[in-house]
Amino acid sequence: MKKLVIIALALVTLNGFAQKKEHRKMDRNNTSELRQDMNPNDIADLKSKKLTLKLDLTDAQQKKVHKLILAQAETRKAARKANKPAEGEKRERPSKEDMLERQNLRLDAQIEMKREMKTILTAEQYAKFEKMKPREHKKRGKRGENQERKHNKRD
């Protein structure tokens, strides 16, 4: 009898863990869909407010940063729309030339963004801004290091 209760308890526990994973996956999908539906003005509002909190921006600086981020969000949305395949068409991988062009455009936009932020922010604020990096880049680096270590251990 005790064994039967332990087995039933283990099955219920495992079932609970499996459902939590599905729930997380669904939340990620919903948030990415919500981001796609956001207009550039909403994106600019959120990002400029986050920067205001982190960098302690003045009202004038906040307005300039908002304008800069708004322009960036509009160009990104236009690029996304241009790269999106039409209905009924199959999504194809871009050619090497297209990828090179996209990366150059993206990097040019990042350089321009840095230059503009340097003119808007004080030296202290700009130093904080430079230290702020997206989490994704840090994770990618760690992931690559871990894979390299595993590969070296096998040899």
Side-chain angles (χ1 to χ4, degrees):
M1 184 69 183
K2 285 183 180 180
K3 290 182 182 180
L4 187 61
V5 171
I6 291 173
I7 291 172
L9 185 62
L11 288 174
V12 169
T13 305
L14 290 174
N15 190 23
F17 283 125
Q19 288 179 1
K20 284 183 182 179
K21 287 181 183 178
E22 286 179 20
H23 183 68
R24 284 187 204 153
K25 227 182 225 183
M26 189 176 76
D27 285 344
R28 284 188 198 143
N29 291 337
N30 288 340
T31 55
S32 66
E33 287 176 12
L34 289 174
R35 281 190 203 128
Q36 288 176 354
D37 292 338
M38 289 176 67
N39 64 15
N41 198 32
D42 292 339
I43 293 169
D45 284 341
L46 291 175
K47 285 187 177 184
S48 63
K49 286 180 182 179
K50 285 180 184 179
L51 283 175
T52 301
L53 288 172
K54 290 180 181 179
L55 302 175
D56 195 31
L57 302 177
T58 64
D59 290 336
Q61 286 176 325
Q62 187 176 2
K63 288 177 184 177
K64 290 178 183 177
V65 167
H66 182 272
K67 193 182 292 185
L68 183 64
I69 294 172
L70 180 63
Q72 182 185 37
E74 287 172 346
T75 55
R76 281 185 179 174
K77 187 168 186 165
R80 226 179 289 126
K81 192 174 183 179
N83 294 332
K84 189 175 181 179
E87 277 190 45
E89 286 186 18
K90 196 173 186 180
R91 185 180 184 117
E92 295 180 15
R93 285 188 158 216
S95 66
K96 287 183 180 180
E97 293 82 20
D98 288 341
M99 285 297 293
L100 182 63
E101 183 182 341
R102 287 181 192 177
Q103 287 179 354
N104 278 328
L105 288 173
R106 182 181 53 83
L107 291 172
D108 288 342
Q110 284 180 349
I111 291 168
E112 186 62 30
M113 174 77 165
K114 268 190 166 183
R115 286 182 183 152
E116 290 292 324
M117 291 299 282
K118 198 169 194 173
T119 61
I120 296 171
L121 302 176
T122 63
E124 185 179 306
Q125 289 171 332
Y126 187 75
K128 280 185 185 178
F129 176 73
E130 280 295 307
K131 287 181 183 177
M132 294 184 331
K133 298 286 182 194
R135 281 187 237 149
E136 297 169 10
H137 296 299
K138 290 180 183 177
K139 286 182 182 177
R140 279 188 206 149
K142 288 180 183 176
R143 206 178 305 141
E145 289 172 6
N146 291 339
Q147 288 175 353
E148 196 172 297
R149 287 181 193 153
K150 288 178 186 176
H151 183 69
N152 289 338
K153 286 181 183 178
R154 290 181 192 160
D155 294 337

